[in-house]
Amino acid sequence: MLLVFLPFMGFPQKKDVAISFESLSDSLAKDPKPILIHVYTNWCTYCMMQENGIKKSAELSSLLGKELYYLKLNAENKETISFNHEQYHFKPNGPSTGMHELALALGKGNKDFAYPMWFILDTNYKVQYRFSGYLKPKDLNTLLLAYLKEKKIRPTTMP
């Protein structure tokens, strides 16, 4: 019995630093700062690895909680999302498949549409940077720090 509960004893669960889309506009009004949106799916192994890496990295979790608004978007979410005064819906493309319109809108013009996807937006909801694919926590941290320092980022500046 002890072996069942041992993993949970003495190891506090890390709090998710993501905020909801519903609270974003109020949060921006009170404290304007850039927005990071992580687009994922439940079936994507790399997406799960990405989320676990974020939760395990105290440095990255702190950065996401203090310097940026971090939002997560399941690309197959069937709920309507209000974002930047517009409503986005799930768009079916088959009997049991589809994609959320917000993921499509954010990824518009992105040739490499693969999960996970990352979008950095400024306080006016303008996409400043797009990236598709898995990022090691230290690489994501480096990318975000560079963006915060320069207020712009290019993929070639990544380590």
Side-chain angles (χ1 to χ4, degrees), residues 12 27 33 37 45-46 65 83 93-95 105 126 143 149 156:
S27 297
K33 53 187 174 181
I37 301 177
T45 303
Y46 289 108
F83 183 73
N93 59 13
K126 302 282 186 233
L143 177 117
K149 183 177 179 185
T156 56

Side-chain angles (χ1 to χ4, degrees), residues 27-42:
S27 297
L28 277 171
K30 292 176 189 167
D31 183 18
K33 53 187 174 181
I35 304 160
L36 175 68
I37 301 177
H38 173 210
V39 180
Y40 68 96
T41 64
N42 291 333

